[in-house]
Amino acid sequence: MASSLPSSPSALSVLDVAPVVPVVVVADAADAVPLARALVAGGLPAIEVTLRTPAALEAIRAASADVPDAVVGAGTVLTPGQVGDCVAAGARFLVSPGWTDVLLTAMQGSGVPFLPGVSTTSEVVALLERGVTQMKFFPAQAAGGTAYLKSLAGPLPQARFCPTGGIGPGNAPEYLSLPNVGCVGGTWMVPQDAIAERDWVRIEGLAREAAALRG
């Protein structure tokens, strides 16, 4: 799948790379490359590295440089400064848990795709007014889950989502069956104990199971 991606990052649709986007917390940048290789081997090339640790930017830089089949992005992007830092580190997409006008302007000017976070109908409409049709739905389960997304599909069919938050192998297929869901985000295929133990074989197996969730 990764080999068929557009060469230009700006042409990439994050929602269409794979059914599941691993949401990764990297404490040691040295783990980034083998982790990314395991996820790609398991069929999940789009990888969201969250900016929750001091190692995040270096992890993005290393995985982007050394794992060419990975589509490495940055998550938990909160400020315009982080937008610039992430793109400079090689991030091919950006994800935020929410958005403001200032953050949205920075992401729109970044030259890479982005998924601003929404949890209400008004936020979706506001983004559509600004020409944004691809969004992160967060926190998905707490904000209404699949029932909420089904309700949005009728009046706002142009909006497409990557739901994240409270999603696992048990409920991911229900989300992925919705016409306005391109992919889901989650952490279950990158458990912290497996990363700490550098059990890349286990992570590859979990990734392969996640990649098969959309039949």
Side-chain angles (χ1 to χ4, degrees):
M1 178 176 292
S3 61
S4 65
L5 290 174
S7 58
S8 169
S10 62
L12 169 69
S13 173
V14 181
L15 300 185
D16 298 323
V17 177
V20 179
V21 176
V23 179
V24 180
V25 179
V26 180
D28 186 344
D31 293 334
V33 169
L35 175 58
R37 286 175 177 157
L39 292 169
V40 170
L44 300 181
I47 303 166
E48 176 188 335
V49 178
T50 67
L51 301 183
R52 300 180 192 176
T53 69
L57 283 176
E58 185 56 36
I60 291 170
R61 185 175 293 108
S64 297
D66 294 346
V67 191
D69 287 336
V71 181
V72 182
T76 321
V77 177
L78 301 175
T79 69
Q82 289 178 330
V83 169
D85 291 343
C86 291
V87 173
R92 291 185 61 188
F93 65 92
L94 307 170
V95 184
S96 65
W99 65 276
T100 64
D101 286 332
V102 171
L103 180 59
L104 183 65
T105 297
M107 291 193 293
Q108 287 180 314
S110 68
V112 301
F114 57 92
L115 296 174
V118 297
S119 60
T120 70
T121 305
S122 294
E123 290 171 323
V124 176
V125 172
L127 285 177
L128 291 175
E129 284 184 349
R130 291 161 172 79
V132 179
T133 61
Q134 300 190 1
M135 312 167 194
K136 171 178 178 173
F137 180 54
F138 176 83
Q141 281 292 95
T146 55
Y148 196 96
L149 289 170
K150 288 177 183 176
S151 298
L152 292 179
L156 303 170
Q158 65 271 53
R160 297 181 69 217
F161 302 94
C162 173
T164 305
I167 297 177
N171 60 3
E174 185 179 0
Y175 279 94
L176 292 169
S177 70
L178 300 178
N180 56 351
V181 170
C183 62
V184 300
T187 61
W188 74 90
M189 76 300 298
V190 283
Q192 284 301 302
D193 61 329
I195 296 176
E197 295 166 7
R198 295 179 166 84
D199 191 347
W200 313 126
V201 173
R202 178 184 170 197
I203 288 174
E204 180 181 338
L206 290 170
R208 185 169 290 107
E209 292 174 359
L213 286 175
R214 172 180 279 153

